[in-house]
Amino acid sequence: MCGICCVVSLSPGACVLPDRVRKNLTNRGPDHSKDVTRTVITPAFRCLFSAHVLHMKGSLTPQPLEDSAGNLLLWNGEVFGGLEVGPEENDTEVILQHLSVQADSTGICGVLSRVRGPWAILYYEAARHCIWFGRDYFGRRSLLWHLDQEEVVLTLTSVASCPSAYEQSQWHEVAAAGIYRLDLEDCARHKELTIEFFPWVCAADHPSVHNPDYMWEDLPSYASVVPNPSGVSLLAPVCAMNMSTSAPKIYKNVQSSQLSLEALEELLLNTDNVEKVNQLVEVLSEAVRRRVQSLPCSSPSLEQSGINDQTDIAILFSGGIDSMILAVLADRHVPAGKPIDLLNVAFKLQEAKMQPQSSKKGKKPNSSPADEPCKQRDHYLTRCFDVPDRITGRAGLLELQHLSPERKWNFLEINITPEELQGARQERISHLVHPSDTVLDDSIGCAVWFASRGIGMATATDCAEQKQHTSTAKVVLTGIGADEQLAGYSRHKVRFKSDGLEGLVKELAMELGRISSRNLGRDDRVIGDHGKEARFPYLDEDVVSFLNQLPVWEKADLSLPRGLGEKLLLRLAARRLGLGPSAILPKRAMQFGSRIAKMENSHEKASDKCKRLITE
């Protein structure tokens, strides 16, 4: 994972990268930083390329990476399939080797179409003086753009900075709708930026569900976006969604309408269900394997001593079904001697509702009166953070310990006070979330930032005593994508009740189409700020293709009770994997489960612009 940036100027003067943006980029890539410039006198243009590398695989490869022909690659991504990358090879080197031998735009689009995994790219094609840029099909890596309103200057970067209350932002996310190209010689000759667009398309020339129109509104007079004149496109890495709504007339998933594990067991008696559940487990397990085994090499000194207690993998963990399945599958593929960190964040409940219990009640026989104030205070502080996700997280830990007692599970209780939240939001989080700016962006962005930072109190598997723990994991698994594909949100049930299967299918197609702009860019920026990489197993191309080919009624049955019908196929997989109560936990959004939403104005709507994200 890296922080990548390019500044293109057709105006006099040097290309400048603001200090705050450079600092944010460096946080993403703390292992190596490098700038490269390109200047052409006639016609005149200047480019600054800045790359900041987080070393993840193979030997440390500085970026921008240059080949013998002068091509430059800034690559923020992981190749999990599609192109062959040896165990000791670096993704960036392999990608540049493939791109540099392509004779035209068809070849370049063909290479990027083959990549399986998350990526954002800046590629300078030296012979033609062209810059290519874009994100993968789902937008799992952030890329932002900014067009100066006065000078002919374009800035592309992984992460930006939030303007003050007196400034108007010009930052936007690069739409994950395709790939873009700038012909710098042509642009310099005409003193304008004409950006050619190469769209993603599905099989049979079916257009992608992504719509780039929102990205290109209110452009300066010198900039425009046009379809590429050759009509070249990229083939989407997943199959088109099954839009069928012709469910069998006699279709009943389960006889019992009660929320229970027995209802799941009843469904698993169906041979057709078992086959699909096994297929889902297999494809999801492989997706997790790719993401937990593509890791940096362990410290040689630790390996030689035979002791390596450092954690490589962490999971954003609520104890809900999405994170529980990731934990069970990670346990299959992470070496037995390695701990796994379970990151569980909680925001302090209002003190008015959490009065300490009387010391006269529950006093232990062996405790002295002098001990009581301390014990009462500790109990009170613990209860202040007993939010719903903390409670289900502890229950989930017990399930995991039962399933895999030999594994060291570090359940990390990350407790955040209002004062700490306010300080971090102003100093760092507001800049990372930007240009996302809603109340929901604030809540999720803050919760994910604190959780992925991985600093809290851990309870070891074999000990009830807590101790301060900082996660060393560079890889953070997150369950994003499960709800969008398997009808996990309450709005899905509302749509189903009003418009039936036809409305539900359209809602799911929309959810998957907008996930890049709603979630992924923001979360990548937030997690990457800690020098860690977010990985999304539920958005693995093979997982998405498997789910896309199924009709909606084989993925969810929203006529069943909450906690059973939504994400039904995943709940069956959870039961198949041996999970118990967590398999039927109803969906609870992170902002409510962590209780960050309760710390702010309760009258706000999720879609409102968030004033707290405005910096002073």
Side-chain angles (χ1 to χ4, degrees):
M1 200 271 298
C2 306
I4 60 176
C5 180
C6 172
V7 182
V8 178
S9 175
L10 306 185
S11 301
C15 295
V16 178
L17 183 60
D19 290 341
R20 179 78 212 201
V21 174
R22 183 176 292 277
K23 176 65 169 63
N24 289 340
L25 288 167
T26 304
N27 288 345
R28 291 177 62 86
D31 295 329
H32 189 276
S33 296
K34 181 181 176 182
D35 288 356
V36 172
T37 58
R38 287 288 184 270
T39 302
V40 172
I41 304 301
T42 306
F45 64 82
R46 295 177 177 83
C47 298
L48 167 66
F49 299 94
S50 185
H52 309 265
V53 177
L54 175 69
H55 178 217
M56 297 299 294
K57 185 179 179 182
S59 58
L60 175 61
T61 303
Q63 295 191 42
L65 184 62
E66 184 173 3
D67 65 12
S68 58
N71 300 310
L72 290 174
L73 177 62
L74 293 83
W75 174 256
N76 177 26
E78 299 287 348
V79 179
F80 293 131
L83 299 176
E84 185 175 348
V85 180
E88 302 302 321
E89 288 187 296
N90 184 275
D91 295 13
T92 309
E93 294 175 337
V94 172
I95 294 292
L96 182 57
Q97 289 168 8
H98 281 276
L99 291 176
S100 63
V101 298
Q102 303 306 318
D104 53 24
S105 58
T106 300
I108 289 176
C109 289
V111 170
L112 296 177
S113 294
R114 290 166 57 193
V115 176
R116 299 295 180 264
W119 53 268
I121 188 173
L122 297 170
Y123 175 56
Y124 177 69
E125 193 181 6
R128 299 177 180 84
H129 295 300
C130 288
I131 291 179
W132 294 80
F133 63 95
R135 306 160 68 191
D136 71 78
Y137 183 76
F138 296 114
R140 289 165 289 186
R141 291 290 174 261
S142 171
L143 192 63
L144 308 176
W145 65 273
H146 174 276
L147 287 164
D148 193 280
Q149 295 298 307
E150 298 179 2
E151 304 288 341
V152 186
V153 177
L154 168 67
T155 302
L156 298 158
T157 179
S158 299
V159 60
S161 62
C162 186
S164 70
Y166 307 101
E167 299 175 309
Q168 183 176 359
S169 172
Q170 301 296 327
W171 289 104
H172 301 274
E173 287 193 330
V174 173
I179 302 300
Y180 307 85
R181 181 178 69 179
L182 271 174
D183 183 329
L184 294 176
E185 283 192 335
D186 185 67
C187 290
R189 193 174 296 115
H190 295 93
K191 293 297 180 184
E192 61 184 24
L193 293 175
T194 301
I195 303 169
E196 296 180 351
F197 174 59
F198 298 75
W200 290 107
V201 297
C202 293
D205 201 34
H206 181 71
S208 164
V209 293
H210 302 294
N211 186 345
D213 293 346
Y214 73 90
M215 174 184 169
W216 306 113
E217 296 175 352
D218 303 321
L219 294 177
S221 59
Y222 65 78
S224 62
V225 179
V226 299
N228 76 86
S230 303
V232 176
S233 58
L234 298 92
L235 182 62
V238 298
C239 67
M241 182 179 290
N242 186 333
M243 304 296 286
S244 172
T245 58
S246 301
K249 292 182 179 180
I250 302 176
Y251 180 74
K252 188 67 176 176
N253 270 321
V254 64
Q255 298 300 315
S256 172
S257 62
Q258 299 299 313
L259 176 60
S260 65
L261 290 175
E262 288 72 21
L264 289 179
E265 295 286 356
E266 183 182 333
L267 284 165
L268 284 173
L269 295 176
N270 184 306
T271 304
D272 290 339
N273 286 342
V274 170
E275 181 180 357
K276 294 181 181 64
V277 167
N278 289 342
Q279 289 175 324
L280 176 58
V281 169
E282 182 179 351
V283 71
L284 193 52
S285 178
E286 176 60 18
V288 171
R289 185 197 66 78
R290 294 181 186 125
R291 286 156 178 78
V292 302
Q293 292 186 352
S294 299
L295 301 172
C297 297
S298 300
S299 168
S301 60
L302 289 172
E303 287 185 343
Q304 291 170 7
S305 66
I307 300 174
N308 191 352
D309 200 38
Q310 287 197 324
T311 310
D312 294 330
I313 297 295
I315 301 171
L316 296 185
F317 188 77
S318 65
I321 183 174
D322 304 341
S323 59
M324 285 292 287
I325 285 182
L326 293 184
V328 171
L329 295 178
D331 180 57
R332 287 184 173 186
H333 303 296
V334 173
K338 281 281 189 180
I340 295 176
D341 286 346
L342 307 174
L343 308 177
N344 184 275
V345 66
F347 293 83
K348 191 176 182 181
L349 296 172
Q350 297 179 25
E351 295 189 18
K353 298 180 181 179
M354 297 298 302
Q355 294 300 322
Q357 294 179 352
S358 170
S359 60
K360 293 181 181 181
K361 296 182 180 181
K363 185 186 294 185
K364 294 183 179 180
N366 296 328
S367 60
S368 67
D371 293 333
E372 285 307 311
C374 293
K375 292 183 178 181
Q376 184 182 136
R377 180 198 61 206
D378 291 344
H379 180 61
Y380 169 61
L381 291 176
T382 299
R383 291 178 61 237
C384 283
F385 295 101
D386 275 351
V387 301
D389 278 359
R390 178 61 46 78
I391 295 169
T392 55
R394 289 172 182 153
L397 173 64
L398 294 177
E399 286 195 52
L400 294 174
Q401 290 172 341
H402 175 74
L403 286 173
S404 184
E406 301 302 318
R407 171 74 62 189
K408 182 179 180 183
W409 301 97
N410 291 324
F411 181 71
L412 192 53
E413 298 189 5
I414 300 164
N415 299 329
I416 308 302
T417 64
E419 296 76 20
E420 189 174 7
L421 170 62
Q422 183 177 358
R425 177 193 282 125
Q426 280 292 310
E427 177 62 27
R428 297 177 73 172
I429 300 172
S430 60
H431 297 282
L432 304 170
V433 170
H434 190 75
S436 302
D437 59 2
T438 67
V439 170
L440 181 64
D441 291 318
D442 172 56
S443 296
I444 299 295
C446 290
V448 171
W449 189 86
F450 280 109
S452 58
R453 184 178 65 167
I455 299 176
M457 302 298 293
T459 303
T461 302
D462 56 352
C463 179
E465 183 180 352
Q466 285 191 326
K467 60 180 181 180
Q468 185 73 27
H469 180 80
T470 299
S471 176
T472 59
K474 279 189 174 183
V475 170
V476 178
L477 301 183
T478 168
I480 290 178
D483 291 303
E484 289 80 1
Q485 297 180 80
L486 291 150
Y489 293 119
S490 57
R491 60 179 174 267
H492 294 140
K493 192 153 192 170
V494 172
R495 185 67 185 272
F496 173 71
K497 285 183 175 180
S498 63
D499 300 315
L501 286 178
E502 183 176 352
L504 178 59
V505 167
K506 291 179 179 178
E507 187 80 13
L508 293 178
M510 180 188 67
E511 294 275 6
L512 200 57
R514 71 182 184 182
I515 195 170
S516 63
S517 58
R518 292 265 295 194
N519 304 90
L520 296 175
R522 176 200 66 210
D523 288 359
D524 175 67
R525 294 191 294 275
V526 167
I527 294 173
D529 189 54
H530 304 297
K532 301 181 180 185
E533 181 173 285
R535 293 185 176 177
F536 311 98
Y538 289 105
L539 291 172
D540 178 270
E541 288 83 355
D542 290 342
V543 172
V544 175
S545 286
F546 170 73
L547 293 174
N548 271 0
Q549 70 184 359
L550 297 178
V552 65
W553 62 83
E554 293 184 355
K555 295 181 281 190
D557 182 354
L558 299 188
S559 67
L560 294 175
R562 183 168 176 262
L564 184 61
E566 76 277 19
K567 297 191 287 193
L568 178 59
L569 186 63
L570 194 64
R571 296 184 187 282
L572 292 170
R575 191 62 184 147
R576 190 73 171 174
L577 289 168
L579 292 174
S582 61
I584 53 174
L585 278 178
K587 167 67 181 179
R588 185 171 50 235
M590 189 178 194
Q591 66 270 28
F592 301 119
S594 67
R595 282 298 188 258
I596 186 173
K598 292 291 185 181
M599 297 182 73
E600 310 297 352
N601 182 357
S602 61
H603 298 293
E604 293 176 321
K605 295 180 180 179
S607 58
D608 288 346
K609 299 289 185 183
C610 184
K611 297 179 180 179
R612 293 182 296 278
L613 290 173
I614 299 174
T615 56
E616 298 175 355

